[in-house]
């Protein structure tokens, strides 16, 4: 808000380009948070920059910004960090140039998800301008620099910080690029869980000509992997695809053809729906592996449990705003990888919606300039629906 109380419009394309020009590859910030702080403070947001660093990890800069002190708090969550560019020579543009060519904005983060954040800031400016700057309630942004990495110094920590201050979120949109082919065709209302198992089988080393004096761990491992993969985990559920288990590597590292090795290991990744939890999968896997006999050890790394926010409040608001702006009725989906919504769902109703994700994490990541304006309009519509005028 300016001194006269007039809300200046925010150009989502210029703001997205400015963010792209900060090479904020996790965990670097490279000035990205400050670009947002400047844009938000101009509208009257109170900004808290929060740096967190678990022992042994690099510090990460996060931002919590809030406009308004009372009433229901509508939160937009996202991340300013980006994945590495990969092979620089494969890009046809500077990945951190923020160039616009033929109506398309290029650069790492254009789609995932600096473009989305810029569109939300522009949407807030449009919403406030239409209301003469008046807001019955609060709008907040929870922005992290640690989503694409290990995600331990980011959203999770900010949520703990908010809870310790007694600050609540009442509804949240996570602005990940959820649209599949056209802006507005898909909203995410949950995600599958993901966990990775490492199975180590111990045997007894020996000569292949004297197998009775040895115990072959590979033979055990083959039976174990068969037990894990011989039938589907389930047939899916109301809002989810079937759960899947994929073996990603089998390692023995034995260069000798006349030696039975002492150890064999395999790694497998499970993407699971709401019929399972990491605990029930652990029990199931141990039972199956145990059938095969042999001496073994199984360790899990759980990236996230599955979650579902039943089609209600937030996804309903998003669907209505999307229909108003684009004429499309979005599919409510639970496909794709994990996101920070898995932390937020424990605090308030949440759904995810943003740009088309076709080029995310790819070479020449890009977004049509027109989509940024349209997304700003959709986000403005969500705010309009969430804060109805009396
Ligand atoms: Zn993302």
């Amino acid at each position: 808000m300016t001194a006269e109380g007039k809300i200046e419009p925010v150009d989502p394309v210029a703001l997205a380009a400015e963010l792209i020009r900060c090479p904020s590859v996790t965990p670097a910030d490279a000035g990205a948070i400050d670009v947002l702080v400047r844009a938000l403070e101009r509208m009257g947001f109170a900004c808290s920059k929060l740096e967190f660093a678990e022992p042994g990890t690099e510090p990460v800069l996060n931002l919590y910004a809030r406009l308004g002190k009372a009433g229901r708090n509508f939160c937009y969550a996202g991340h300013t960090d980006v994945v590495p560019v990969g092979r620089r020579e494969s890009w046809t543009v500077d990945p951190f140039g923020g160039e616009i060519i033929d109506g398309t904005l290029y650069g790492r983060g254009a789609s995932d998800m600096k473009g989305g954040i810029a569109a939300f800031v522009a949407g807030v400016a449009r919403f406030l301008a239409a209301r003469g700057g008046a807001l019955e309630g609060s709008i907040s942004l929870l922005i992290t620099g640690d989503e694409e990495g290990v995600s331990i110094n980011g959203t999770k920590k900010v949520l703990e910080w908010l809870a310790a201050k007694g600050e609540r979120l009442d509804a949240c949109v996570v602005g990940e690029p959820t649209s599949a082919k056209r802006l507005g065709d898909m909203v995410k209302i949950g995600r599958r869980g993901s966990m990775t198992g490492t199975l180590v089988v111990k045997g007894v080393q020996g000569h292949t000509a004297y197998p009775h004096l040895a115990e072959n761990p590979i033979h055990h491992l083959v039976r174990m992997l068969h037990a894990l993969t011989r039938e589907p985990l389930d047939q899916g559920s109301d809002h989810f695809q079937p759960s899947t288990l994929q073996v990603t590597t089998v390692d023995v590292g034995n260069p000798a053809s006349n030696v039975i090795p002492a150890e064999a290991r395999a790694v497998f990744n499970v993407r699971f729906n709401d019929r399972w939890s990491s605990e029930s999968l652990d029990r199931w896997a141990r039972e199956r592996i145990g059938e095969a006999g042999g001496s073994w050890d199984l360790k899990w790394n759980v990236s996230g449990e599955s979650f579902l926010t039943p089609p209600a409040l937030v996804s309903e608001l998003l669907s209505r705003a999307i229909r108003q702006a684009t004429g499309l009725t979005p599919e409510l989906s639970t496909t794709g990888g994990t996101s920070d919504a898995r932390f937020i769902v424990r605090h308030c109703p949440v759904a995810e919606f943003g740009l088309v994700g076709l080029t995310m994490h790819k070479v020449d990541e890009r977004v049509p300039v027109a989509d940024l304006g349209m997304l700003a309009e959709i986000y403005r519509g969500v705010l309009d629906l969430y804060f109805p005028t009396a």
Side-chain angles (χ1 to χ4, degrees):
M1 208 180 296
T2 61
E4 304 84 49
K6 193 171 163 295
I7 303 294
E8 300 287 340
V10 172
D11 176 3
V13 183
L15 182 57
E18 202 181 341
L19 287 168
I20 289 169
R21 288 186 200 113
C22 306
S24 51
V25 177
T26 328
D29 168 65
I33 294 283
D34 277 334
V35 167
L36 274 182
V37 167
R38 281 195 294 277
L40 291 167
E41 282 184 341
R42 249 176 290 182
M43 284 194 276
F45 276 82
C47 295
S48 306
K49 290 205 271 180
L50 306 162
E51 191 177 79
F52 298 114
E54 279 284 297
T57 63
E58 299 227 29
V60 170
L61 197 59
N62 303 277
L63 171 68
Y64 179 70
R66 178 168 175 161
L67 180 69
K69 292 198 171 69
R72 296 191 301 164
N73 184 7
F74 181 95
C75 180
Y76 178 87
H79 60 90
T80 45
D81 62 325
V82 294
V83 294
V85 299
R87 277 170 56 94
R88 171 68 183 83
E89 318 82 78
S90 305
W91 286 71
T92 59
V93 294
D94 175 358
F96 301 111
E99 276 176 72
I100 296 165
I101 304 165
D102 293 336
T104 299
L105 173 66
Y106 283 79
R108 178 55 86 226
S111 149
D112 184 13
M113 56 165 282
K114 289 172 169 176
I117 295 172
F120 184 76
V121 176
V124 173
R126 290 182 194 182
F127 166 78
L128 292 173
R131 300 270 175 112
L135 171 64
E136 294 268 333
S138 302
I139 299 172
S140 57
L141 286 90
L142 191 172
I143 305 294
T144 178
D146 186 26
E147 200 274 341
E148 302 287 11
V150 285
S151 304
I152 51 174
N153 295 315
T155 301
K156 216 173 146 191
K157 285 270 193 306
V158 180
L159 289 167
E160 286 165 13
W161 179 84
L162 288 173
K165 289 202 339 161
E167 177 123 2
R168 307 179 23 161
L169 310 178
D170 293 292
C172 181
V173 169
V174 177
E176 290 286 347
T178 59
S179 296
K181 294 199 182 86
R182 280 180 64 189
L183 179 67
D185 63 3
M186 190 177 281
V187 167
K188 300 242 165 128
I189 55 166
R191 292 290 175 103
R192 290 178 298 177
S194 175
M195 62 196 283
T196 297
T198 301
L199 175 61
V200 179
V201 186
K202 299 265 190 236
V204 178
Q205 196 184 40
H207 198 301
T208 51
Y210 302 89
H212 56 290
L213 300 178
E215 185 183 344
N216 195 329
I218 304 175
H219 294 187
H220 291 309
L221 181 61
V222 166
R223 280 194 297 277
M224 290 168 183
L225 294 180
H226 175 65
L228 292 174
T229 56
R230 69 178 177 236
E231 60 205 7
L233 281 161
D234 56 61
Q235 305 298 330
S237 66
D238 284 352
H239 293 282
F240 283 90
Q241 300 169 310
S243 304
T244 59
L245 182 153
Q246 290 296 314
V247 179
T248 53
T249 186
V250 175
D251 299 294
V252 180
N254 175 19
S257 61
N258 59 353
V259 174
I260 293 169
E263 188 183 290
R265 56 175 62 211
V267 176
F268 46 90
N269 180 245
V270 188
R271 300 289 165 133
F272 56 98
N273 60 35
D274 55 348
R275 292 186 183 276
W276 298 92
S277 65
S278 57
E279 272 168 41
S280 65
L281 272 166
D282 175 56
R283 276 198 303 276
W284 171 84
R286 285 178 193 282
E287 207 170 286
R288 285 286 164 102
I289 293 167
E291 293 170 6
S295 161
W296 52 275
D297 180 56
L298 173 65
K299 287 203 169 59
W300 291 103
N301 177 21
V302 180
S303 316
E305 300 286 340
S306 73
F307 70 88
L308 178 72
T309 50
L313 184 72
V314 186
S315 50
E316 180 55 35
L317 291 181
L318 279 166
S319 298
R320 283 170 63 192
I322 290 165
R323 231 173 285 136
Q324 280 170 12
T326 68
L328 295 175
T329 298
E331 177 191 342
L332 304 181
S333 162
T334 55
T335 55
T338 59
S339 87
D340 278 356
R342 70 188 190 271
F343 303 125
I344 299 167
V345 70
R346 292 180 218 143
H347 295 256
C348 71
V350 59
E352 297 174 65
F353 176 69
L355 292 164
V356 176
L358 283 175
T359 62
M360 61 179 169
H361 295 209
K362 292 190 181 176
V363 149
D364 282 351
E365 184 174 342
R366 59 196 177 272
V367 62
V369 162
D371 279 10
L372 292 171
M374 183 68 89
L375 183 58
E377 195 49 32
I378 294 169
Y379 286 149
R380 185 201 64 75
V382 171
L383 292 171
D384 224 27
L385 294 165
Y386 190 73
F387 297 109
T389 43

